[in-house]
Amino acid sequence: MNIVIVGHVDHGKSTVIGRLLADTDSLPQGKLEQVREMCRRNSKPFEYAFLLDALKDERSQGITIDAARCFFKTAKRDYLIIDAPGHIEFLKNMITGASRAEAALLVIDANEGVRENSRRHGYMLKMLGIKQVAVLVNKMDLADYSEEVFKSIEAEYRGFLEEIGIRAKSFIPVSAMQGDNIAAQSSDMTWYKGRTVLEELDAFDEKESEADSLPFRMPVQDVYRFTGSGDDRRIIAGTVESGRLKIGDECVFYPSGKHTHVATFEHFGAGETPTEIKTDMAAGFTMTEQIYIRRGEICCLSGEKTPKVGTSFVASLFWLGISPMVKEKNYLLKIGAAKVPCQLKEIISTLDASTLDRGKKDKIDRHDVAECIIECSKPIAFDLTSEMPKTSRFVLVDEYEISGGGIITAEVEKTGISDVARDLAMRRNEKWETSSIPSELRAKRFGQRPGIVIITGHRYIGKKAMAKELERELWDAGRQVYFLGIGNLLYGVAGEIKVEGEIPDRYEHIRRLGEVANIMMDSGMLLLVTCAEFTANDMEVLEATVDTEHIHTVWLGDKVTTDVVPDLAISDASDRDATAVRIKSFMAERGLIFI
Amino acid sequence: MSESRRTYDKAAYEAHLVELENKSVYLLREAYANFKELCMLWSIGKDSTVMLWLARKAFYGHVPFPLVHVDTHYKIPEMIEYRDRLAREWRIDMIYGENKAALDAKETFPDGRLSHIECCRKLKTEALTHTLAGDWPRYRMNHDTGRYEVDSNTEPYTGVIVGVRADEEGSRSKERYFSPRDKNNDWGVGDQPPEFWGQYKTDFAPGTHVRIHPLLDWTELDIWEYIRRESIPVVSLYFDQGSGRRYRSLGCAPCTTPVESTAKNLDDIIEELRTGKFSNIAERSGREQDKEDGGGLEELRKDGYM
């Protein structure tokens, strides 16, 4: 079992660890004597912390600079104890250490009482999701083993923990230096009838067993296909966060909403191939219907509670970055295996984690905790921390560094222009009848991959004539290609919203174009579409309905006059033959047509 | 400090191995998904061989990145034979690098010109740094001929998977799973990225690279238990062949000494570690570079040593 020890600097964490190691007979032979001898020679009083320093080869500044590891064991089980530093600058090391732990010991000095980091660390344990906490009131020998001192610290700190939603398993009065209530009952504190530290450790629960009974969640880490090595399996790989999945189960992927069934679980090496996967397993499975899925989606089990999908959410987050988190700056958000650009949209409140004082600032400083709204540039699938904590957790990357972490507490009402399109597309995918002919087979027969080429640019530059010529040339070269005139759409599929002479609902038209295009992509076609002055917003709506990798934009004309970033810009499109050659080679480069 | 397990609960230990395996597989998959120029260092020793096996586990029989071995040309010959045999059998994209200049100039410890540490720095650290950077030749196995040829790819590796374990010695216990190295290959021990919730440092500035450590949580005993569980082939040098001696840790022939041991198979080795003569003696006690003054290995590691 992994245990983290946290607490304010100099409250005696290292001494507690040293004492635990010594009293459980976990030290290398002669080490204790060696350190005692060293102290004697240097005329220093012996401290267990020196022992720890000697073990960890720590020589710097006398403070632990990282979450180092020590092993010890009791009759019941093995422990890995992670020493998290108390120095304020090293909060990120404390988080690193604590996130690996299943339970925590929080140390408070009986004489100094509850301090800034006693509270901050308590709050971080809550954010990190560590529920099993025992509080050690240390250095009781220096407080005359006073029950009164102990009771007053217990009352104060218990109140704090309850405010943030942690119920401490116990408060234990100890002297790590003297060995009181660590491995053996103290004879100086007969008023204390509770467990010793070792007994308390053994009483902790091994693992959160509830994860298996929660809905199935597996972030897709990758989709493997090693055809180069003669292996035709397409394997969805990932580590299960919660729940169970069996062969034959229908799984749904979010945010796309695509679905398929589990054909086989895959396995290499000793042991049996599993017939079911569950929490914490690094797994892989093949599908019965071949669908196109990428890293970043979350695999769920059909019929169970679905995750939320959206671009915005409310979160509690802690910031570790040296530069503060500010609005209108791009960050990367990593949740599960997804990684999307995001921005800080609104700070609802900031919280001083050491006092619980709420404030309102326009930035989130280092070591602040804040409630805020984050907006991503692409939709993500997530859960709420109150329902499924593991899949509600994300980190934020500033420049190249992980600079913050957060938990999602609520959804935000969807108002974006592409939100409706995306929700509809997701529902459509959930019901989509997957073709019995895999897309690879179509691609092989047609010598092409499906794609929609948007030919855009200034009005009157000859986009339609260009598209028709391109269609003819591709057709003559044996391609399955279709030029979709926008009129074909306006009066039919969008007939009931069409108003003569104008397009009042441009985005709804693009959504419908996207839905038609989506069907044609599934049939393996190359689709040519013209559109005057295509914008980034148009693109967003289209991307909400058609897989992004199918969309390719070509701008004709000397200057790109909208905010779209075209994949290909042809400034001089006057020579139609030359332009057709350029677009065709662009399509070959992008793997749309095979030569 | 190694973990001594005086009692042996078979089911609990199996669960422990499964947990370690799941974590390592997750880390390997994260590395593969995030680093385009990715390689794995293979020292031929038991740890990196377990790591290679875990890669085959993660990618279902495949190893989708090259394995890089730094050849000091002083390795025990069986190690090189074993390397090339496994590379052929498992169709591994095998690459080695070397410090040709130092070898040609006989700037080595065995030639009497350098100390242990200086020799390590030349033949291992420098060779490794330049092989990873791609500015010294890399030799790649041609599976059609079975021979090594100069590799045309000279792109620097930006993700390097390394089989260090936290329990090996002090400096390694401070490592992260994803550990950045700057342009000079320096490791900032005091200022490392936070790691939590299964999220790691996968974004990096140009010119820097990231070391990935899938075996960080494994102990020497875990390694041997896993080798037994999975029947992973290891170099025969680890076993006593009748001389009453065997290697506990493999390195260059002049600087690695066998230990007195009659362990002839995996069961013997595990028994020896669990309860026998080695349960309280450090694994690397036969390795010279750890013994020199000034925190030898930590210094080497800051410069880019594994």
Side-chain angles (χ1 to χ4, degrees), chain A residues 290-310:
Chain A
Q290 301 303 317
I291 54 170
Y292 187 83
I293 288 294
R294 274 191 304 188
R295 175 179 164 91
E297 301 230 21
I298 291 187
C299 179
C300 303
L301 176 60
S302 176
E304 287 188 332
K305 187 179 176 61
T306 59
K308 322 284 180 210
V309 171

PDB file of all heavy atoms in Angstrom, chain A residues 290-310:
ATOM      1  N   GLN A 290     -15.855  -2.263 -38.076  1.00  0.00           N
ATOM      2  CA  GLN A 290     -14.665  -1.410 -38.107  1.00  0.00           C
ATOM      3  C   GLN A 290     -15.071   0.054 -38.203  1.00  0.00           C
ATOM      4  O   GLN A 290     -15.614   0.497 -39.192  1.00  0.00           O
ATOM      5  CB  GLN A 290     -13.768  -1.790 -39.289  1.00  0.00           C
ATOM      6  CG  GLN A 290     -13.294  -3.231 -39.249  1.00  0.00           C
ATOM      7  CD  GLN A 290     -12.555  -3.569 -37.962  1.00  0.00           C
ATOM      8  OE1 GLN A 290     -11.737  -2.800 -37.473  1.00  0.00           O
ATOM      9  NE2 GLN A 290     -12.864  -4.732 -37.403  1.00  0.00           N
ATOM     10  N   ILE A 291     -14.817   0.798 -37.128  1.00  0.00           N
ATOM     11  CA  ILE A 291     -15.114   2.227 -37.168  1.00  0.00           C
ATOM     12  C   ILE A 291     -13.820   2.998 -36.998  1.00  0.00           C
ATOM     13  O   ILE A 291     -12.827   2.462 -36.508  1.00  0.00           O
ATOM     14  CB  ILE A 291     -16.125   2.630 -36.064  1.00  0.00           C
ATOM     15  CG1 ILE A 291     -15.629   2.173 -34.705  1.00  0.00           C
ATOM     16  CG2 ILE A 291     -17.507   2.072 -36.368  1.00  0.00           C
ATOM     17  CD1 ILE A 291     -16.435   2.739 -33.565  1.00  0.00           C
ATOM     18  N   TYR A 292     -13.852   4.243 -37.410  1.00  0.00           N
ATOM     19  CA  TYR A 292     -12.654   5.062 -37.336  1.00  0.00           C
ATOM     20  C   TYR A 292     -12.620   5.820 -36.015  1.00  0.00           C
ATOM     21  O   TYR A 292     -13.445   6.686 -35.760  1.00  0.00           O
ATOM     22  CB  TYR A 292     -12.605   6.034 -38.517  1.00  0.00           C
ATOM     23  CG  TYR A 292     -11.302   6.773 -38.578  1.00  0.00           C
ATOM     24  CD1 TYR A 292     -10.178   6.187 -39.177  1.00  0.00           C
ATOM     25  CD2 TYR A 292     -11.169   8.038 -38.020  1.00  0.00           C
ATOM     26  CE1 TYR A 292      -8.968   6.838 -39.215  1.00  0.00           C
ATOM     27  CE2 TYR A 292      -9.958   8.698 -38.055  1.00  0.00           C
ATOM     28  CZ  TYR A 292      -8.859   8.092 -38.654  1.00  0.00           C
ATOM     29  OH  TYR A 292      -7.659   8.751 -38.681  1.00  0.00           O
ATOM     30  N   ILE A 293     -11.681   5.435 -35.150  1.00  0.00           N
ATOM     31  CA  ILE A 293     -11.561   6.004 -33.802  1.00  0.00           C
ATOM     32  C   ILE A 293     -10.120   6.431 -33.612  1.00  0.00           C
ATOM     33  O   ILE A 293      -9.216   5.793 -34.128  1.00  0.00           O
ATOM     34  CB  ILE A 293     -11.916   4.915 -32.748  1.00  0.00           C
ATOM     35  CG1 ILE A 293     -13.403   4.631 -32.760  1.00  0.00           C
ATOM     36  CG2 ILE A 293     -11.474   5.303 -31.356  1.00  0.00           C
ATOM     37  CD1 ILE A 293     -14.241   5.787 -32.305  1.00  0.00           C
ATOM     38  N   ARG A 294      -9.944   7.522 -32.882  1.00  0.00           N
ATOM     39  CA  ARG A 294      -8.582   7.976 -32.628  1.00  0.00           C
ATOM     40  C   ARG A 294      -8.322   8.127 -31.139  1.00  0.00           C
ATOM     41  O   ARG A 294      -9.248   8.170 -30.334  1.00  0.00           O
ATOM     42  CB  ARG A 294      -8.353   9.330 -33.318  1.00  0.00           C
ATOM     43  CG  ARG A 294      -7.933   9.178 -34.751  1.00  0.00           C
ATOM     44  CD  ARG A 294      -7.462  10.480 -35.300  1.00  0.00           C
ATOM     45  NE  ARG A 294      -8.487  11.518 -35.145  1.00  0.00           N
ATOM     46  CZ  ARG A 294      -8.370  12.721 -35.690  1.00  0.00           C
ATOM     47  NH1 ARG A 294      -7.315  13.028 -36.398  1.00  0.00           N
ATOM     48  NH2 ARG A 294      -9.325  13.619 -35.517  1.00  0.00           N
ATOM     49  N   ARG A 295      -7.026   8.239 -30.805  1.00  0.00           N
ATOM     50  CA  ARG A 295      -6.624   8.531 -29.434  1.00  0.00           C
ATOM     51  C   ARG A 295      -7.384   9.758 -28.934  1.00  0.00           C
ATOM     52  O   ARG A 295      -7.566  10.730 -29.657  1.00  0.00           O
ATOM     53  CB  ARG A 295      -5.123   8.823 -29.404  1.00  0.00           C
ATOM     54  CG  ARG A 295      -4.593   9.272 -28.044  1.00  0.00           C
ATOM     55  CD  ARG A 295      -3.087   9.519 -28.109  1.00  0.00           C
ATOM     56  NE  ARG A 295      -2.640  10.294 -26.961  1.00  0.00           N
ATOM     57  CZ  ARG A 295      -2.210   9.761 -25.815  1.00  0.00           C
ATOM     58  NH1 ARG A 295      -2.148   8.467 -25.684  1.00  0.00           N
ATOM     59  NH2 ARG A 295      -1.828  10.529 -24.813  1.00  0.00           N
ATOM     60  N   GLY A 296      -7.834   9.695 -27.697  1.00  0.00           N
ATOM     61  CA  GLY A 296      -8.480  10.855 -27.093  1.00  0.00           C
ATOM     62  C   GLY A 296      -9.946  10.640 -26.803  1.00  0.00           C
ATOM     63  O   GLY A 296     -10.518  11.309 -25.953  1.00  0.00           O
ATOM     64  N   GLU A 297     -10.577   9.672 -27.512  1.00  0.00           N
ATOM     65  CA  GLU A 297     -11.981   9.412 -27.203  1.00  0.00           C
ATOM     66  C   GLU A 297     -12.055   8.547 -25.933  1.00  0.00           C
ATOM     67  O   GLU A 297     -11.065   7.938 -25.531  1.00  0.00           O
ATOM     68  CB  GLU A 297     -12.647   8.657 -28.371  1.00  0.00           C
ATOM     69  CG  GLU A 297     -12.570   9.451 -29.669  1.00  0.00           C
ATOM     70  CD  GLU A 297     -13.904   9.571 -30.383  1.00  0.00           C
ATOM     71  OE1 GLU A 297     -14.958   9.403 -29.748  1.00  0.00           O
ATOM     72  OE2 GLU A 297     -13.878   9.825 -31.593  1.00  0.00           O
ATOM     73  N   ILE A 298     -13.224   8.526 -25.336  1.00  0.00           N
ATOM     74  CA  ILE A 298     -13.414   7.638 -24.189  1.00  0.00           C
ATOM     75  C   ILE A 298     -14.358   6.524 -24.593  1.00  0.00           C
ATOM     76  O   ILE A 298     -15.437   6.784 -25.148  1.00  0.00           O
ATOM     77  CB  ILE A 298     -14.001   8.384 -22.976  1.00  0.00           C
ATOM     78  CG1 ILE A 298     -12.976   9.363 -22.410  1.00  0.00           C
ATOM     79  CG2 ILE A 298     -14.397   7.397 -21.882  1.00  0.00           C
ATOM     80  CD1 ILE A 298     -13.417  10.004 -21.114  1.00  0.00           C
ATOM     81  N   CYS A 299     -13.931   5.277 -24.332  1.00  0.00           N
ATOM     82  CA  CYS A 299     -14.767   4.130 -24.641  1.00  0.00           C
ATOM     83  C   CYS A 299     -15.707   3.879 -23.458  1.00  0.00           C
ATOM     84  O   CYS A 299     -15.265   3.782 -22.317  1.00  0.00           O
ATOM     85  CB  CYS A 299     -13.877   2.918 -24.892  1.00  0.00           C
ATOM     86  SG  CYS A 299     -14.808   1.430 -25.245  1.00  0.00           S
ATOM     87  N   CYS A 300     -17.020   3.810 -23.756  1.00  0.00           N
ATOM     88  CA  CYS A 300     -18.031   3.581 -22.710  1.00  0.00           C
ATOM     89  C   CYS A 300     -18.864   2.368 -23.096  1.00  0.00           C
ATOM     90  O   CYS A 300     -18.798   1.900 -24.226  1.00  0.00           O
ATOM     91  CB  CYS A 300     -18.937   4.806 -22.582  1.00  0.00           C
ATOM     92  SG  CYS A 300     -18.010   6.313 -22.238  1.00  0.00           S
ATOM     93  N   LEU A 301     -19.640   1.873 -22.145  1.00  0.00           N
ATOM     94  CA  LEU A 301     -20.485   0.712 -22.411  1.00  0.00           C
ATOM     95  C   LEU A 301     -21.902   1.186 -22.694  1.00  0.00           C
ATOM     96  O   LEU A 301     -22.475   1.960 -21.920  1.00  0.00           O
ATOM     97  CB  LEU A 301     -20.449  -0.231 -21.203  1.00  0.00           C
ATOM     98  CG  LEU A 301     -21.342  -1.469 -21.250  1.00  0.00           C
ATOM     99  CD1 LEU A 301     -20.994  -2.358 -22.444  1.00  0.00           C
ATOM    100  CD2 LEU A 301     -21.188  -2.272 -19.960  1.00  0.00           C
ATOM    101  N   SER A 302     -22.447   0.725 -23.816  1.00  0.00           N
ATOM    102  CA  SER A 302     -23.787   1.123 -24.223  1.00  0.00           C
ATOM    103  C   SER A 302     -24.806   0.752 -23.140  1.00  0.00           C
ATOM    104  O   SER A 302     -24.743  -0.333 -22.565  1.00  0.00           O
ATOM    105  CB  SER A 302     -24.141   0.412 -25.535  1.00  0.00           C
ATOM    106  OG  SER A 302     -25.456   0.720 -25.898  1.00  0.00           O
ATOM    107  N   GLY A 303     -25.714   1.677 -22.855  1.00  0.00           N
ATOM    108  CA  GLY A 303     -26.748   1.392 -21.860  1.00  0.00           C
ATOM    109  C   GLY A 303     -26.394   1.931 -20.483  1.00  0.00           C
ATOM    110  O   GLY A 303     -27.265   2.098 -19.642  1.00  0.00           O
ATOM    111  N   GLU A 304     -25.109   2.203 -20.255  1.00  0.00           N
ATOM    112  CA  GLU A 304     -24.713   2.788 -18.976  1.00  0.00           C
ATOM    113  C   GLU A 304     -24.769   4.314 -19.080  1.00  0.00           C
ATOM    114  O   GLU A 304     -24.934   4.875 -20.150  1.00  0.00           O
ATOM    115  CB  GLU A 304     -23.284   2.351 -18.598  1.00  0.00           C
ATOM    116  CG  GLU A 304     -23.221   0.899 -18.169  1.00  0.00           C
ATOM    117  CD  GLU A 304     -21.855   0.523 -17.609  1.00  0.00           C
ATOM    118  OE1 GLU A 304     -20.833   1.133 -17.994  1.00  0.00           O
ATOM    119  OE2 GLU A 304     -21.816  -0.401 -16.797  1.00  0.00           O
ATOM    120  N   LYS A 305     -24.591   4.948 -17.941  1.00  0.00           N
ATOM    121  CA  LYS A 305     -24.588   6.409 -17.894  1.00  0.00           C
ATOM    122  C   LYS A 305     -23.518   6.952 -18.847  1.00  0.00           C
ATOM    123  O   LYS A 305     -22.368   6.509 -18.819  1.00  0.00           O
ATOM    124  CB  LYS A 305     -24.271   6.859 -16.467  1.00  0.00           C
ATOM    125  CG  LYS A 305     -24.401   8.354 -16.249  1.00  0.00           C
ATOM    126  CD  LYS A 305     -24.089   8.705 -14.789  1.00  0.00           C
ATOM    127  CE  LYS A 305     -24.113  10.193 -14.547  1.00  0.00           C
ATOM    128  NZ  LYS A 305     -25.428  10.807 -14.815  1.00  0.00           N
ATOM    129  N   THR A 306     -23.919   7.884 -19.711  1.00  0.00           N
ATOM    130  CA  THR A 306     -22.968   8.422 -20.682  1.00  0.00           C
ATOM    131  C   THR A 306     -22.194   9.589 -20.068  1.00  0.00           C
ATOM    132  O   THR A 306     -22.695  10.263 -19.177  1.00  0.00           O
ATOM    133  CB  THR A 306     -23.698   8.910 -21.948  1.00  0.00           C
ATOM    134  OG1 THR A 306     -24.642   9.916 -21.551  1.00  0.00           O
ATOM    135  CG2 THR A 306     -24.423   7.797 -22.647  1.00  0.00           C
ATOM    136  N   PRO A 307     -20.975   9.834 -20.567  1.00  0.00           N
ATOM    137  CA  PRO A 307     -20.238  11.002 -20.078  1.00  0.00           C
ATOM    138  C   PRO A 307     -20.819  12.282 -20.670  1.00  0.00           C
ATOM    139  O   PRO A 307     -21.612  12.231 -21.621  1.00  0.00           O
ATOM    140  CB  PRO A 307     -18.826  10.757 -20.598  1.00  0.00           C
ATOM    141  CG  PRO A 307     -18.999   9.907 -21.807  1.00  0.00           C
ATOM    142  CD  PRO A 307     -20.226   9.077 -21.574  1.00  0.00           C
ATOM    143  N   LYS A 308     -20.461  13.417 -20.104  1.00  0.00           N
ATOM    144  CA  LYS A 308     -20.855  14.701 -20.681  1.00  0.00           C
ATOM    145  C   LYS A 308     -19.936  14.978 -21.866  1.00  0.00           C
ATOM    146  O   LYS A 308     -18.782  14.547 -21.875  1.00  0.00           O
ATOM    147  CB  LYS A 308     -20.695  15.838 -19.677  1.00  0.00           C
ATOM    148  CG  LYS A 308     -21.062  15.502 -18.254  1.00  0.00           C
ATOM    149  CD  LYS A 308     -22.548  15.464 -18.069  1.00  0.00           C
ATOM    150  CE  LYS A 308     -22.904  15.126 -16.626  1.00  0.00           C
ATOM    151  NZ  LYS A 308     -24.184  14.418 -16.529  1.00  0.00           N
ATOM    152  N   VAL A 309     -20.462  15.692 -22.843  1.00  0.00           N
ATOM    153  CA  VAL A 309     -19.638  16.113 -23.972  1.00  0.00           C
ATOM    154  C   VAL A 309     -19.833  17.603 -24.161  1.00  0.00           C
ATOM    155  O   VAL A 309     -20.966  18.089 -24.158  1.00  0.00           O
ATOM    156  CB  VAL A 309     -20.030  15.360 -25.261  1.00  0.00           C
ATOM    157  CG1 VAL A 309     -19.324  15.968 -26.470  1.00  0.00           C
ATOM    158  CG2 VAL A 309     -19.680  13.883 -25.144  1.00  0.00           C
ATOM    159  N   GLY A 310     -18.747  18.334 -24.280  1.00  0.00           N
ATOM    160  CA  GLY A 310     -18.871  19.774 -24.484  1.00  0.00           C
ATOM    161  C   GLY A 310     -17.522  20.437 -24.606  1.00  0.00           C
ATOM    162  O   GLY A 310     -16.480  19.780 -24.494  1.00  0.00           O
TER     163      GLY A 310
END
